Amino acid sequence: MSGTSEGPSAPAGTASGVPPAPVTERHAAAHPPPAGATPRPHPEPAGPGPANTPPAAGTRPAAGAPAAGAPHGSGTAYGAGEGTAASEVRDYRAAFNAATLPMGVIDGRGRVVRANEALGGLLGAPAAVLAGRQASELLDLASDDRTWHSYREVLLGRRSRFRCDRRLKHPDGRSLWAEITVVPMTGASATEPARVLLTVADVSDRRELQERLRHLQMHDPVTRLPNRTLFFERLASVLETPPYQDDSMPARQQARIGLCYLDLDGFKAINDTLGHRTGDRLLAAVAARLTDCAENDASRNAGGNRLVARLGGDEFAILVEDSAGTEELADLARAVLAALQQPFDLAGQRLSVSASIGVVERVAAGTSPTGLMQAADTTLYWAKADGRARWTLFDPERNAHRMTRQSLSSTLRPAVERGEFTLEYQPLVGMADGVLRGVEALVRWNHPQFGVLPPNRFVQIAEEDGSIVQLGRWILRTACRQARRWELDHPDEPPLFISVNVAVRQVWDSDLVADVAEILTETGLAPGLLQLELTESAVMGSGGRPLRALQALSDMGVRIAIDDFGTGYSNLAYLSRLPVSVLKLDGAFVKGFRYEDGTHPSPADETIVEAMVQLAHRLGLTVTAECVETAGQAERLRRIGCDTGQGWLYSRAVAPEQIAGLIGSRPLEG
């Protein structure tokens, strides 16, 4: 046994002779000393000096050691946390003050609590002077309602973040774009109200790059004018501006908007013959003259802004904000036409060009960009249709007619299938005896929206879209079937011939000869009782397929009549070679035969009609006079030698039942 006395064993994990770690209050409570034992005092911290000497400033206390001045027995976690928090606050404030990013702490009322030197340098004032100032005034956050509302929502704690761009004035005189961000700060309490952190970043370079890219995206590279995208963006913005939406004001006080929509006449020919390089030079020169016209117009009228844009190809637009009225737009259109009519000198080439302009001017309230452009496009089409090199003002009535026409065109084909068409018949009367000889079938459209429409409202539309083939076949079949029914119902009377109008497109787009042969066979009507009427312009000069079709129909026994003779392309030499049986004189000649209205008959009309009747008879043709309205006209036409007459003197177009009552009756002439 050694001569030294053995002490108690050291706890596991500790070296012999090293004092154990301080016992916390929790450990002491869990392991009380034996009964009667004297408690061991806590060891003092190592190192020289008094036991309660605080650590050096800026140093963190050693792990496990109580904070300076803390009583013995207090928890070490509490003391360390308090020192760490104070140190972190000092670190944060140091970083805040030294940061190159302008920052400020704002209270719930929007006042600056603290600002760093970077923010002071940006705003041109010492950071301390900014305290108490309203951040919205310093950074222009109240200039528009949307920004101001979003900013206030963050201050009130109802929004987690707000960001906006503002153009600010730097103390050195230059302007810059700043991105301002406002976010709530944590740590609010009853004694420390909620605050927000405001940062300001200089984004001028980024903004400048964005603006350059946007300019390239929004401008035409040839003319340097705003392109279609920018034009419609500006138009939508103008129409959405509050003053343009106030329709409670009297019409004379409401804001108005105007548009000149134009394209160059014959520009494609210039491009094709002189090349695209010359074409581009011409477009750039046109753009310069349009800009001058718009600027001069703005200076004369002292009105709103003028925006000149190239919408594509050779199409340009001049938008007039806050227009003074239709006359201002008319003056602008006249000035544009006059400017463009002056020759262009392009690298030694002298070119002349004209333009067609559609002009729209109206109250801006209730106007949409789409509606305005549709009206302008329609008016431009009118200007070109009226002869080009002119301007045309939008006409609501003309547009309503166009819209009605479009509506009819879109529903015409289904209307044939739905059976919305009917036929009425107008008598053709012998001029010598007044006896009914035949009838002309006239189609009517029982439109569900527009009521009963005469053929002049829709036949031309049907010819343009090709539905005349389907409609014409229905008319021919229905008319032949009706003529055959009259023939069977009145076997003791001479049968009536039926006259049906045929469009030239029916000859081109269908086998008219086969259709006629099939319908005559189907209905049992004799070919000699069918008369097909074609307009003079459709028949004269016919060759190839149309002429062969007319000849085949004539050989079949069908009579061919030229309608509205004397007003079209009268070629008397060609007339002798056509398989024609009847000439129908245009009603314009017959109107000159009036007596009853107090006017004297036109000697020229009578001479022309007499010559045409004699010519037709010598060619073996019969003559029908249209638009016979008075007994005096009928008498003179009878003396001249017209064979049959048609007009209100005898009867208007009527239903087939009324024609049946006229068959075999007394002469129809009144």
Side-chain angles (χ1 to χ4, degrees):
M1 177 177 271
S2 67
T4 60
S5 62
E6 289 184 328
S9 301
T14 63
S16 176
V18 178
V23 180
T24 63
E25 292 178 354
R26 179 182 302 173
H27 184 271
H31 303 279
T38 303
R40 180 185 296 178
H42 292 293
E44 298 297 331
N52 293 330
T53 302
T59 62
R60 180 176 298 176
H72 293 293
S74 62
T76 59
Y78 173 82
E82 184 180 66
T84 301
S87 177
E88 288 179 349
V89 169
R90 288 194 296 271
D91 290 346
Y92 287 146
R93 289 187 176 179
F96 177 86
N97 292 325
T100 59
L101 178 67
M103 293 187 293
V105 177
I106 314 299
D107 66 15
R109 296 182 179 181
R111 294 174 301 187
V112 177
V113 176
R114 185 180 300 107
N116 67 359
E117 293 301 329
L119 182 60
L122 177 70
L123 300 178
V129 175
L130 299 179
R133 299 280 301 278
Q134 283 289 334
S136 60
E137 297 177 357
L138 297 172
L139 299 172
D140 192 29
L141 298 179
S143 59
D144 65 86
D145 293 340
R146 180 177 298 180
T147 300
W148 173 247
H149 175 75
S150 300
Y151 170 63
R152 294 293 300 168
E153 289 289 292
V154 177
L155 294 182
L156 296 173
R158 294 198 289 258
R159 180 168 175 161
S160 62
R161 176 180 292 267
F162 164 67
R163 178 177 295 165
C164 70
D165 287 357
R166 277 291 180 273
R167 184 183 287 275
L168 303 179
K169 196 75 172 180
H170 197 274
D172 62 8
R174 63 185 175 91
S175 62
L176 60 87
W177 278 101
E179 182 182 77
I180 301 171
T181 305
V182 182
V183 295
M185 298 176 64
T186 58
S189 64
T191 59
E192 184 74 10
R195 294 176 177 179
V196 298
L197 178 65
L198 180 147
T199 61
V200 184
D202 186 348
V203 293
S204 299
D205 292 342
R206 185 182 73 189
R207 188 69 179 238
E208 182 181 354
L209 177 60
Q210 290 175 344
E211 290 180 354
R212 282 204 302 266
L213 293 176
R214 175 176 169 79
H215 186 275
L216 292 175
Q217 181 185 8
M218 295 295 186
H219 286 75
D220 172 52
V222 175
T223 63
R224 308 297 177 89
L225 292 177
N227 61 14
R228 188 181 191 89
T229 302
L230 181 55
F231 172 81
F232 277 100
E233 184 179 291
R234 173 75 168 272
L235 177 59
S237 175
V238 168
L239 293 176
E240 290 172 1
T241 304
Y244 285 90
Q245 299 297 327
D246 187 5
D247 54 3
S248 63
M249 301 170 60
R252 65 181 181 276
Q253 298 180 10
Q254 291 187 29
R256 305 182 69 87
I257 191 168
L259 178 64
C260 289
Y261 183 35
L262 65 107
D263 76 357
L264 305 180
D265 300 326
F267 177 75
K268 185 178 184 301
I270 295 176
N271 250 355
D272 293 343
T273 57
L274 301 179
H276 289 275
R277 184 183 297 274
T278 301
D280 288 349
R281 289 174 179 169
L282 177 60
L283 291 175
V286 167
R289 292 193 185 180
L290 293 180
T291 302
D292 289 342
C293 289
E295 291 175 352
N296 292 336
D297 178 73
S299 62
R300 285 196 308 270
N301 293 282
N305 296 324
R306 309 289 187 269
L307 176 69
V308 182
R310 182 189 178 197
L311 302 187
D314 60 339
E315 296 180 355
F316 296 86
I318 304 177
L319 179 66
V320 179
E321 300 178 25
D322 200 13
S323 163
T326 301
E327 191 57 36
E328 179 184 352
L329 269 293
D331 290 342
L332 176 59
R334 294 189 192 99
V336 168
L337 284 181
L340 296 182
Q341 286 172 353
Q342 300 298 319
F344 290 87
D345 189 358
L346 305 175
Q349 285 185 308
R350 196 170 178 83
L351 297 178
S352 296
V353 70
S354 64
S356 300
I357 307 176
V359 178
V360 182
E361 201 280 338
R362 58 179 56 171
V363 172
T367 296
S368 67
T370 301
L372 186 67
M373 290 306 300
Q374 285 178 343
D377 186 64
T378 297
T379 313
L380 175 60
Y381 171 80
W382 294 343
K384 286 194 171 293
D386 292 343
R388 301 189 175 191
R390 67 187 65 221
W391 65 273
T392 301
L393 183 65
F394 180 76
D395 181 357
E397 292 185 5
R398 187 174 180 180
N399 186 61
H401 177 74
R402 184 188 68 87
M403 297 297 291
T404 301
R405 182 183 176 88
Q406 179 62 34
S407 175
L408 295 179
S409 176
S410 63
T411 58
L412 207 155
R413 289 180 185 272
V416 178
E417 300 171 359
R418 290 194 298 263
E420 294 180 2
F421 292 92
T422 58
L423 292 184
E424 292 183 348
Y425 303 88
Q426 188 170 28
L428 293 163
V429 179
M431 299 295 293
D433 53 13
V435 174
L436 180 65
R437 301 293 177 82
V439 293
E440 179 181 356
L442 299 172
V443 65
R444 303 286 187 262
W445 185 357
N446 296 318
H447 197 281
Q449 179 181 355
F450 303 114
V452 179
L453 301 178
N456 61 353
R457 292 288 303 277
F458 59 85
V459 166
Q460 184 179 0
I461 301 174
E463 292 179 2
E464 292 173 358
D465 66 13
S467 59
I468 191 63
V469 174
Q470 180 185 10
L471 178 60
R473 190 179 291 119
W474 176 86
I475 294 172
L476 185 61
R477 176 175 283 106
T478 304
C480 289
R481 186 181 293 121
Q482 183 61 61
R484 178 58 175 163
R485 184 175 299 115
W486 285 325
E487 182 182 6
L488 295 176
D489 291 345
H490 301 84
D492 298 332
E493 300 293 338
L496 302 180
F497 71 86
I498 187 80
S499 188
V500 179
N501 291 278
V502 175
V504 68
R505 188 159 184 176
Q506 291 177 256
V507 183
W508 281 106
D509 294 0
S510 67
D511 192 343
L512 182 62
V513 178
D515 289 345
V516 170
E518 177 186 345
I519 291 172
L520 290 177
T521 302
E522 175 188 320
T523 60
L525 186 69
L529 296 179
L530 176 61
Q531 175 175 291
L532 299 181
E533 297 185 19
L534 290 90
T535 61
E536 181 181 347
S537 59
V539 175
M540 291 299 179
S542 295
R545 181 176 179 180
L547 181 58
R548 290 194 298 270
L550 295 180
Q551 188 63 58
L553 291 169
S554 179
D555 295 342
M556 191 187 301
V558 175
R559 298 197 293 180
I560 306 298
I562 299 180
D563 196 13
D564 301 329
F565 185 79
T567 60
Y569 307 94
S570 299
N571 187 333
L572 300 180
Y574 196 73
L575 180 62
S576 63
R577 297 193 293 271
L578 290 173
V580 176
S581 305
V582 181
L583 296 183
K584 296 189 70 174
L585 300 181
D586 188 83
F589 295 108
V590 179
K591 289 180 179 179
F593 285 61
R594 289 180 178 271
Y595 275 106
E596 287 79 357
D597 60 359
T599 61
H600 296 288
S602 169
D605 285 344
E606 184 172 347
T607 301
I608 292 173
V609 170
E610 185 175 4
M612 287 193 294
V613 170
Q614 291 177 0
L615 173 64
H617 287 169
R618 290 189 178 185
L619 293 175
L621 309 177
T622 60
V623 179
T624 299
E626 297 181 304
C627 299
V628 182
E629 299 179 356
T630 68
Q633 290 173 321
E635 176 61 28
R636 295 191 65 80
L637 290 168
R638 184 184 302 113
R639 289 205 306 265
I640 288 174
C642 282
D643 301 288
T644 55
Q646 177 182 1
W648 289 359
L649 174 65
Y650 309 108
S651 174
R652 297 173 181 264
V654 295
E657 295 79 13
Q658 293 179 258
I659 295 295
L662 299 177
I663 298 176
S665 64
R666 60 180 177 79
L668 299 182
E669 184 175 340

